[in-house]
Every structure is written in C-alpha cells, then in structure tokens.
Amino acid sequence: MVVNLSQRARIRAGDTAAFGRLFEDHAREVYRHVVRSTGSWSGAEDVVSLTFLEAWRLRERLRPDGDSVLPWLLGIATNVLRNTRRAARRHAAALVRLPPAETMPDFADEIVNRMRNSEQLAAAAAALGRLRAAEREVFLLCVWSGLDYAQAAEALGVPIGTVRSRLSRARTKLREMTAGPGQVLVARTEAARSNQEGNR
C-alpha cells in the first residue's frame, strides 16, 4: 500500500524533492520580505540563500501540522537578518579602526539610486530603521508580508499579545513621522489593520 506523506512530513524526513518544491513555492515571498527589511535587492539574494540553507538544517523542527510553512520560513529569515545585521555592525566597526583609504566612486550605485523604485525603497527602509528592531520585525511580517497575528507570533516565537502590542507601537511611531515614506507606510499599516480585524 502506498502512503502519501504530507509535504511537511517529507521535508522533515529530508526529502530533497519536497524541499525543492518548498523553495519554488515560497522563495519569492521570502525574497520580497527581505528586500523590504533591508532596502537592498542584491543583499536580499544572499539572505534568501542563507534562509533556505538554515531551513534545510532545521527541517526536523518544522511542526508536523499546520496550513502554511511560510511563517516558519519568515521566522528563519528574521533570525538570519538579525545575524547579518550584527555581522555588518561588527564589520563597520572594524573598518572604522582602519586608516582611511582613497576610494573611487561607484557609478553603478549612482545610477541605481536614480531609479524611482530604489529611492522609495530606501526611504521606506530609513523610516522603518527608526523603529525598534522588535517593532520593525512585526511590522514587516504583518504589514508587508501579510501574516496574521497568529502567524507572526509563530514566526517570531512570541505570544500573539506581544505581536499586537509591538505592531500598535510601530503604527503610533510611523503615524508621528511627517515625511512622505512614513505616510506611505502608515497607509499600508491601516490597510493591514483592516485585514487583521477581518481575520479575527
């Protein structure tokens, strides 16, 4: 008799084909989440790669039940982002200690920065950068990536009430920002609130 195992069970068992399907189904969503968090398209590719490498390493920790594996993946991506930010801070601190060197301007970056989408993404990243890390993570998961409170709580490993309070604080801070990027983010936040209320 042939037993059809669920995708979760196959992934937990180390089935590479099932994991490949997981990547095909969710890599784009993880990539969008990371881009919104970092403001960098090129840097996001590295984080996505690390996220799926970590997901494969931690596959046995995937819960055997549930509807979507996306919260699990975004939780891993959030941890990878924390680690890469810490590494970047250490790297920046090390560079400060080095003697100054003559550098050449990067014209490729200048061209990219002229693109409207890049400017908007950078402005949004700057606005989010003014939030505490815990508030920013909840905002990105609930507003930008569309997770509900329960899924965000699962991704971050915190109670639902913590997600609600962090998102509320993020909304308040973003509302107080008078610059354009803040207004755009607040509009997205209000739309997300409507969705959250409807999902209760």
Side-chain angles (χ1 to χ4, degrees), residues 121-141:
L121 183 59
L128 288 173
R130 295 171 63 184
L131 299 176
R132 290 178 57 239
E135 296 163 353
R136 182 173 58 249
E137 290 167 359
V138 167
F139 183 93
L140 287 164
L141 290 170

Side-chain angles (χ1 to χ4, degrees), residues 76-95:
I76 293 172
T78 298
N79 287 330
V80 170
L81 284 165
R82 289 175 187 163
N83 292 337
T84 55
R85 285 189 179 110
R86 278 195 293 268
R89 285 194 297 269
R90 288 194 296 267
H91 180 69
L95 289 179

Side-chain angles (χ1 to χ4, degrees), residues 26-41 43-45 47-48 51-52 70-82 85 121 125 128 133 135-147 152 155-156:
H26 297 294
R28 187 178 299 275
E29 291 167 289
V30 174
Y31 179 78
R32 283 197 295 260
H33 173 73
V34 174
V35 166
R36 289 162 181 158
S37 179
T38 63
S40 169
W41 280 287
E45 293 176 357
V47 174
V48 170
T51 296
F52 280 93
L70 184 60
W72 179 68
L73 287 172
L74 293 183
I76 293 172
T78 298
N79 287 330
V80 170
L81 284 165
R82 289 175 187 163
R85 285 189 179 110
L121 183 59
L128 288 173
E135 296 163 353
R136 182 173 58 249
E137 290 167 359
V138 167
F139 183 93
L140 287 164
L141 290 170
C142 290
V143 177
W144 287 110
S145 293
L147 298 190
L156 296 172

Side-chain angles (χ1 to χ4, degrees), residues 9-166:
R10 292 170 58 202
I11 291 169
R12 285 166 52 88
D15 186 322
T16 56
F19 193 82
R21 179 61 185 272
L22 175 77
F23 180 85
E24 291 173 3
D25 290 345
H26 297 294
R28 187 178 299 275
E29 291 167 289
V30 174
Y31 179 78
R32 283 197 295 260
H33 173 73
V34 174
V35 166
R36 289 162 181 158
S37 179
T38 63
S40 169
W41 280 287
S42 58
E45 293 176 357
D46 293 335
V47 174
V48 170
S49 296
L50 289 171
T51 296
F52 280 93
L53 283 172
E54 192 70 355
W56 176 255
R57 188 178 72 83
L58 301 174
R59 62 189 180 276
E60 292 181 0
R61 296 188 190 177
L62 175 62
R63 284 181 8 195
D65 58 346
D67 296 327
S68 173
V69 296
L70 184 60
W72 179 68
L73 287 172
L74 293 183
I76 293 172
T78 298
N79 287 330
V80 170
L81 284 165
R82 289 175 187 163
N83 292 337
T84 55
R85 285 189 179 110
R86 278 195 293 268
R89 285 194 297 269
R90 288 194 296 267
H91 180 69
L95 289 179
V96 168
R97 294 191 293 268
L98 294 175
E102 185 176 343
T103 58
M104 296 295 291
D106 188 341
F107 296 107
D109 284 347
E110 181 181 340
I111 292 170
V112 171
N113 287 334
R114 290 177 183 170
M115 296 171 58
R116 185 166 178 255
N117 288 341
S118 295
E119 292 170 354
Q120 291 176 340
L121 183 59
L128 288 173
R130 295 171 63 184
L131 299 176
R132 290 178 57 239
E135 296 163 353
R136 182 173 58 249
E137 290 167 359
V138 167
F139 183 93
L140 287 164
L141 290 170
C142 290
V143 177
W144 287 110
S145 293
L147 298 190
D148 61 27
Y149 295 132
Q151 290 173 325
E154 177 188 341
L156 296 172
V158 299
I160 292 178
T162 301
V163 171
R164 290 178 186 272
S165 61
R166 288 178 183 175

